[in-house]
Amino acid sequence: EKLAGLLWPEWPDRDALSNLRYPLSSLRSAIADRDADPPFLLIARDTLQFNTASDHSLDVADFGLRISDIGSPTGEAESGQSEIANLETAIALYQGSFLEGFSVGDSPAFEEWALLTREQIARQMSSALHRLATAYEQRGQYEQAQSCAWRQVELEPWDEGAHQQLMRVLALSGQR
């Protein structure tokens, strides 16, 4: 009921629930849910949820996991290399804004949730780029640091700290 209400807020509950059946059926066909063992979706009369036990890969979840794993207690050299690897993998997973180009125009609640999620992930990405550029800078790997700093400036051109980091790394590499 909540999902149907979120997607079709202006519709009567019964009509919204009825309308949900069609895209849900199409989604199950598109992801081959009926053939998956275990299925990707757990559907009952009153509930619908993603099956985390299914054989799936979610770039958003992996991105969040990689970001949260940073700073785990290990040896200092091992931790530094592990942190760089996690940051590199997380950054490679980021392909653009969360649900970019997708909207449910008649649902302010959905749009608000998507916007907040988009902003949270963008902040995490910016932080990851900054931390990776800093790690590269400390190791004297200025080309890699420049690449991260440039990407951070592209994503958030108003971020003064990103511009400062980029200018510092350019100067350290002999570029004025």
Side-chain angles (χ1 to χ4, degrees), residues 1 20 25 27 33-35 40 45 57 63 65-66 94 97 100 105 115 125 130 139 145 159 161 169-170:
E1 291 172 356
L20 180 60
S25 178
L27 173 64
D33 186 54
R34 291 177 182 91
D35 299 327
F40 298 109
R45 181 163 171 75
S57 173
F63 175 84
L65 183 63
R66 297 275 177 184
Y94 187 88
S97 293
E100 187 172 28
L115 177 65
M125 179 62 172
H130 177 78
R139 293 170 175 245
D159 185 347
V169 174
L170 287 168

Short mmCIF file of all heavy atoms in Angstrom, two decimals, residues 1 20 25 27 33-35 40 45 57 63 65-66 94 97 100 105 115 125 130 139 145 159 161 169-170:
data_model
loop_
_atom_site.label_atom_id
_atom_site.label_comp_id
_atom_site.label_asym_id
_atom_site.label_seq_id
_atom_site.Cartn_x
_atom_site.Cartn_y
_atom_site.Cartn_z
N GLU A 1 0.81 -1.19 0.00
CA GLU A 1 0.00 0.00 0.00
C GLU A 1 0.86 1.26 0.00
O GLU A 1 0.54 2.23 -0.68
CB GLU A 1 -0.94 0.00 1.21
CG GLU A 1 -2.02 -1.05 1.13
CD GLU A 1 -2.82 -1.18 2.42
OE1 GLU A 1 -2.52 -0.51 3.41
OE2 GLU A 1 -3.77 -1.99 2.40
N LEU A 20 -0.11 -1.07 -9.61
CA LEU A 20 1.22 -1.57 -9.24
C LEU A 20 1.49 -2.96 -9.81
O LEU A 20 2.64 -3.30 -10.10
CB LEU A 20 1.36 -1.58 -7.71
CG LEU A 20 2.69 -2.06 -7.13
CD1 LEU A 20 3.83 -1.17 -7.61
CD2 LEU A 20 2.63 -2.07 -5.61
N SER A 25 4.99 -6.89 -12.52
CA SER A 25 5.10 -8.04 -13.40
C SER A 25 6.18 -7.81 -14.47
O SER A 25 6.99 -8.70 -14.75
CB SER A 25 3.76 -8.32 -14.07
OG SER A 25 3.87 -9.41 -14.95
N LEU A 27 8.75 -5.79 -14.21
CA LEU A 27 10.04 -5.81 -13.52
C LEU A 27 10.51 -7.24 -13.29
O LEU A 27 11.66 -7.58 -13.56
CB LEU A 27 9.95 -5.06 -12.19
CG LEU A 27 11.18 -5.13 -11.29
CD1 LEU A 27 12.38 -4.46 -11.96
CD2 LEU A 27 10.89 -4.49 -9.94
N ASP A 33 13.16 -12.73 -12.47
CA ASP A 33 12.92 -13.05 -11.07
C ASP A 33 12.24 -14.40 -10.89
O ASP A 33 12.54 -15.13 -9.95
CB ASP A 33 12.07 -11.94 -10.42
CG ASP A 33 11.90 -12.14 -8.94
OD1 ASP A 33 12.94 -12.28 -8.24
OD2 ASP A 33 10.75 -12.15 -8.46
N ARG A 34 11.36 -14.75 -11.81
CA ARG A 34 10.63 -16.01 -11.68
C ARG A 34 11.55 -17.23 -11.86
O ARG A 34 11.27 -18.31 -11.36
CB ARG A 34 9.49 -16.05 -12.70
CG ARG A 34 8.39 -15.06 -12.36
CD ARG A 34 7.29 -15.05 -13.43
NE ARG A 34 6.25 -14.08 -13.14
CZ ARG A 34 6.27 -12.82 -13.58
NH1 ARG A 34 7.26 -12.39 -14.33
NH2 ARG A 34 5.29 -12.00 -13.27
N ASP A 35 12.67 -17.03 -12.56
CA ASP A 35 13.61 -18.13 -12.80
C ASP A 35 14.76 -18.15 -11.80
O ASP A 35 15.52 -19.11 -11.75
CB ASP A 35 14.19 -18.02 -14.21
CG ASP A 35 13.12 -18.10 -15.28
OD1 ASP A 35 12.12 -18.82 -15.07
OD2 ASP A 35 13.27 -17.43 -16.32
N PHE A 40 14.81 -12.56 -6.61
CA PHE A 40 15.30 -11.24 -6.20
C PHE A 40 14.25 -10.50 -5.36
O PHE A 40 14.61 -9.67 -4.53
CB PHE A 40 15.64 -10.38 -7.43
CG PHE A 40 16.74 -10.98 -8.26
CD1 PHE A 40 16.47 -11.53 -9.50
CD2 PHE A 40 18.05 -11.00 -7.80
CE1 PHE A 40 17.47 -12.08 -10.27
CE2 PHE A 40 19.07 -11.55 -8.56
CZ PHE A 40 18.78 -12.09 -9.79
N ARG A 45 1.02 -11.06 -0.36
CA ARG A 45 -0.18 -10.25 -0.63
C ARG A 45 -0.04 -8.82 -0.13
O ARG A 45 -0.45 -7.89 -0.81
CB ARG A 45 -1.39 -10.92 0.00
CG ARG A 45 -2.67 -10.16 -0.26
CD ARG A 45 -3.88 -11.02 0.01
NE ARG A 45 -5.11 -10.26 -0.04
CZ ARG A 45 -5.69 -9.83 -1.16
NH1 ARG A 45 -5.12 -10.09 -2.31
NH2 ARG A 45 -6.81 -9.15 -1.12
N SER A 57 23.92 -7.98 -7.26
CA SER A 57 24.99 -7.01 -7.10
C SER A 57 24.36 -5.63 -7.24
O SER A 57 23.70 -5.34 -8.23
CB SER A 57 26.04 -7.21 -8.20
OG SER A 57 27.00 -6.18 -8.14
N PHE A 63 29.12 0.55 -3.10
CA PHE A 63 29.73 1.87 -2.88
C PHE A 63 29.68 2.23 -1.40
O PHE A 63 30.69 2.57 -0.80
CB PHE A 63 29.01 2.93 -3.73
CG PHE A 63 29.49 4.33 -3.49
CD1 PHE A 63 30.61 4.81 -4.16
CD2 PHE A 63 28.82 5.18 -2.63
CE1 PHE A 63 31.06 6.11 -3.95
CE2 PHE A 63 29.26 6.48 -2.41
CZ PHE A 63 30.39 6.94 -3.08
N LEU A 65 29.28 0.27 1.16
CA LEU A 65 30.09 -0.67 1.94
C LEU A 65 31.56 -0.31 1.85
O LEU A 65 32.28 -0.30 2.85
CB LEU A 65 29.85 -2.09 1.44
CG LEU A 65 30.56 -3.20 2.18
CD1 LEU A 65 30.08 -3.28 3.62
CD2 LEU A 65 30.33 -4.54 1.48
N ARG A 66 32.04 0.01 0.66
CA ARG A 66 33.44 0.39 0.47
C ARG A 66 33.78 1.65 1.25
O ARG A 66 34.84 1.75 1.85
CB ARG A 66 33.75 0.61 -1.00
CG ARG A 66 33.60 -0.61 -1.86
CD ARG A 66 34.84 -1.41 -1.83
NE ARG A 66 34.67 -2.63 -2.59
CZ ARG A 66 35.58 -3.55 -2.67
NH1 ARG A 66 36.71 -3.40 -2.05
NH2 ARG A 66 35.36 -4.64 -3.36
N TYR A 94 30.93 4.66 -8.91
CA TYR A 94 30.06 5.84 -9.04
C TYR A 94 29.97 6.22 -10.51
O TYR A 94 30.94 6.65 -11.11
CB TYR A 94 30.64 7.00 -8.22
CG TYR A 94 29.75 8.21 -8.16
CD1 TYR A 94 28.77 8.32 -7.18
CD2 TYR A 94 29.88 9.25 -9.06
CE1 TYR A 94 27.95 9.42 -7.11
CE2 TYR A 94 29.06 10.37 -9.00
CZ TYR A 94 28.11 10.45 -8.02
OH TYR A 94 27.30 11.55 -7.96
N SER A 97 24.77 10.57 -10.75
CA SER A 97 23.81 10.80 -9.67
C SER A 97 22.87 9.61 -9.50
O SER A 97 22.47 8.98 -10.47
CB SER A 97 22.98 12.05 -9.95
OG SER A 97 23.79 13.19 -9.90
N GLU A 100 19.67 8.96 -11.68
CA GLU A 100 19.72 10.10 -12.60
C GLU A 100 18.77 9.87 -13.77
O GLU A 100 18.76 8.83 -14.40
CB GLU A 100 21.15 10.27 -13.11
CG GLU A 100 21.36 11.49 -13.94
CD GLU A 100 22.84 11.71 -14.25
OE1 GLU A 100 23.59 10.71 -14.32
OE2 GLU A 100 23.21 12.87 -14.42
N GLY A 105 7.03 12.11 -11.19
CA GLY A 105 6.60 13.50 -11.10
C GLY A 105 5.40 13.76 -10.22
O GLY A 105 5.27 14.84 -9.64
N LEU A 115 15.99 12.79 -3.90
CA LEU A 115 16.88 13.95 -3.78
C LEU A 115 17.80 13.82 -2.58
O LEU A 115 19.02 14.06 -2.69
CB LEU A 115 16.06 15.24 -3.69
CG LEU A 115 16.87 16.52 -3.50
CD1 LEU A 115 17.75 16.80 -4.72
CD2 LEU A 115 15.95 17.70 -3.22
N MET A 125 30.78 10.64 -2.25
CA MET A 125 31.70 10.60 -3.39
C MET A 125 32.72 11.71 -3.30
O MET A 125 33.91 11.49 -3.51
CB MET A 125 30.89 10.69 -4.70
CG MET A 125 31.75 10.69 -5.94
SD MET A 125 32.69 9.16 -6.12
CE MET A 125 33.35 9.40 -7.75
N HIS A 130 38.28 13.37 -2.19
CA HIS A 130 39.19 14.21 -1.40
C HIS A 130 40.18 13.33 -0.64
O HIS A 130 41.39 13.60 -0.64
CB HIS A 130 38.41 15.09 -0.43
CG HIS A 130 39.28 15.92 0.45
ND1 HIS A 130 39.89 17.08 0.00
CD2 HIS A 130 39.68 15.74 1.72
CE1 HIS A 130 40.62 17.58 0.98
NE2 HIS A 130 40.51 16.79 2.03
N ARG A 139 51.75 10.32 -0.86
CA ARG A 139 52.67 9.33 -1.43
C ARG A 139 53.48 9.89 -2.59
O ARG A 139 54.25 9.17 -3.21
CB ARG A 139 51.89 8.10 -1.90
CG ARG A 139 51.28 7.32 -0.76
CD ARG A 139 50.32 6.27 -1.28
NE ARG A 139 49.83 5.47 -0.18
CZ ARG A 139 50.08 4.18 -0.03
NH1 ARG A 139 50.78 3.53 -0.92
NH2 ARG A 139 49.62 3.53 1.02
N ALA A 145 46.61 12.11 -7.87
CA ALA A 145 45.96 13.10 -7.01
C ALA A 145 45.26 14.16 -7.85
O ALA A 145 44.13 14.58 -7.52
CB ALA A 145 46.99 13.74 -6.08
N ASP A 159 32.94 23.90 -4.59
CA ASP A 159 33.70 23.46 -3.41
C ASP A 159 35.09 24.08 -3.42
O ASP A 159 35.98 23.66 -4.17
CB ASP A 159 33.78 21.93 -3.39
CG ASP A 159 34.45 21.40 -2.13
OD1 ASP A 159 35.07 22.17 -1.37
OD2 ASP A 159 34.35 20.18 -1.91
N GLY A 161 37.42 23.95 -1.19
CA GLY A 161 38.46 23.02 -0.75
C GLY A 161 38.97 22.14 -1.88
O GLY A 161 40.16 21.83 -1.95
N VAL A 169 48.13 20.37 -5.56
CA VAL A 169 48.70 19.21 -6.25
C VAL A 169 49.35 19.62 -7.56
O VAL A 169 50.42 19.12 -7.93
CB VAL A 169 47.62 18.13 -6.46
CG1 VAL A 169 48.14 16.98 -7.29
CG2 VAL A 169 47.12 17.60 -5.14
N LEU A 170 48.74 20.54 -8.27
CA LEU A 170 49.35 21.05 -9.50
C LEU A 170 50.68 21.72 -9.19
O LEU A 170 51.67 21.51 -9.90
CB LEU A 170 48.40 22.04 -10.21
CG LEU A 170 47.19 21.41 -10.90
CD1 LEU A 170 46.18 22.49 -11.31
CD2 LEU A 170 47.62 20.59 -12.11
#
